[in-house]
Amino acid sequence: MTVQPGAALLAAGPSPTELLIGRVYVWLATNGLEIVIWILGAVLLARVIRWFAGKYATRVESRFSISDLIVQTEDAKHRRALVDVVAWTLIVGIAIVVVIHILGVFGIPLSGLTGPTAVIGAALGFGAQRIVQDILAGFFVVAEKQYGYGDVVNLTVTGNAPAEGTVEDVTLRVTKLRTTEGEVITVPNGQIIKATNLSKDWARAVVDVPVPSEADIGLVNDTLDRVGREFYELPRWHDLLLDAPSSLGVISLELDSITVRMVTRTLPGKQFEVGRALRVHIIRALAREGINVPPRNVQASSGPPATLADQVARDRGGDE
């Protein structure tokens, strides 16, 4: 039997499976490799950006630790927050560019995605409007320098629920606070109704001291002024104070007690520590004058509760 040359050539040709494997191999060696390179490049670039942001944060912390400053300046806190926001924005921009390029490698024209994108955008507009709100609110938080790293803030969020602590992270979407109990509170920026910065530029320690109604108010004011001058001269507290504590006089009258207020300006975030130490000195000074202060009514300005470290600092401050 004689075999035709064309039939022999057809029988010797590649099978459909081999053709498919060959096409897949060619695609992986060209377009697939290009996609992998773009993804790896984006990941590496994102890691480099995060590395530079972390390096800047470490540099700021090291400069602060070796400086004579007790608290960080407002500009330093704002620049650190701004660097983190810029890094986050660059990473998002890189991700968008890579996705667009990958779509082009697959041969998907962007003009053909106009209709589906409009539908998806409308759907996401309703579902992700809270995210957009958070990002816009975060932009104004950073741009207006409302607070930054290390600030002690009191945030009123939706539902009038308070969130108080030290700012540990600020992004365009969320703000993270560390409470005195060590808990981390994550607050979406779009849910913040009011932001109270307790450590911007300077702070004020307020101590309200109730004394018996029969006490000599003149003696009480003289004692408080003397305590303020002595407290201001103590080396431990002098560097934290911007002026000497002074008495504002009587602020309220009750049937069996009179409340006298004492105030002083402190460095940012130090008002709670100063208030607790000043309260101890006031109680001891009034006790030496024979004036008893009800412990349950003595209070300082609102702030984080005293921790063990604050208790030790208070005892040491009282001994000086």
Side-chain angles (χ1 to χ4, degrees), residues 27-79:
W27 187 89
L28 291 176
T30 55
N31 294 340
L33 182 60
E34 182 180 358
I35 293 175
V36 171
I37 291 175
W38 272 81
I39 294 176
L40 290 178
V43 172
L44 291 176
L45 191 56
R47 291 181 66 89
V48 169
I49 293 174
R50 294 307 307 170
W51 182 83
F52 274 109
K55 196 71 174 177
Y56 178 81
T58 304
R59 183 180 179 183
V60 171
E61 292 293 338
S62 62
R63 282 186 175 182
F64 172 70
S65 61
I66 63 177
S67 67
D68 297 331
L69 298 176
I70 299 177
V71 295
Q72 292 189 11
T73 62
E74 295 297 328
D75 289 338
K77 292 185 289 187
H78 175 69
R79 284 196 300 267

Side-chain angles (χ1 to χ4, degrees), residues 133-144:
Q133 180 183 1
D134 294 340
I135 294 176
L136 289 177
F139 170 79
F140 287 108
V141 166
V142 176
E144 296 173 358

Side-chain angles (χ1 to χ4, degrees), residues 138-295:
F139 170 79
F140 287 108
V141 166
V142 176
E144 296 173 358
K145 302 182 181 180
Q146 297 180 14
Y147 49 80
Y149 285 90
D151 281 335
V152 180
V153 297
N154 189 319
L155 305 180
T156 302
V157 300
T158 303
N160 293 326
E164 185 170 314
T166 303
V167 178
E168 282 201 343
D169 192 14
V170 181
T171 65
L172 289 181
R173 201 184 74 82
V174 298
T175 297
K176 293 183 179 180
L177 307 178
R178 174 79 65 174
T179 66
T180 54
E181 289 80 13
E183 301 171 343
V184 176
I185 303 177
T186 301
V187 182
N189 294 326
Q191 297 186 19
I192 299 175
I193 300 176
K194 181 178 69 173
T196 304
N197 193 331
L198 305 178
S199 59
K200 187 174 181 63
D201 297 329
W202 57 271
R204 173 169 288 167
V206 181
V207 179
D208 291 341
V209 185
V211 297
S213 57
E214 64 273 9
D216 186 351
I217 298 301
L219 177 60
V220 172
N221 287 329
D222 292 340
T223 302
L224 294 181
D225 290 336
R226 186 180 72 253
V227 170
R229 292 191 298 269
E230 295 174 352
F231 188 82
Y232 185 70
E233 296 301 328
L234 291 176
R236 173 178 176 78
W237 306 109
H238 183 79
D239 295 337
L240 303 183
L241 299 174
L242 300 180
D243 50 34
S246 59
S247 173
L248 294 182
V250 178
I251 61 170
S252 67
L253 298 173
E254 298 181 5
L255 293 178
D256 56 350
S257 65
I258 300 174
T259 303
V260 182
R261 173 166 293 179
M262 198 171 189
V263 299
T264 181
R265 291 194 308 156
T266 71
L267 292 179
K270 300 298 181 180
Q271 67 270 35
F272 311 117
E273 181 180 354
V274 170
R276 287 190 288 267
L278 181 60
R279 182 170 52 195
V280 175
H281 284 261
I282 291 174
I283 294 176
R284 291 179 175 177
L286 291 178
R288 287 193 295 267
E289 299 294 337
I291 302 175
N292 296 323
V293 179

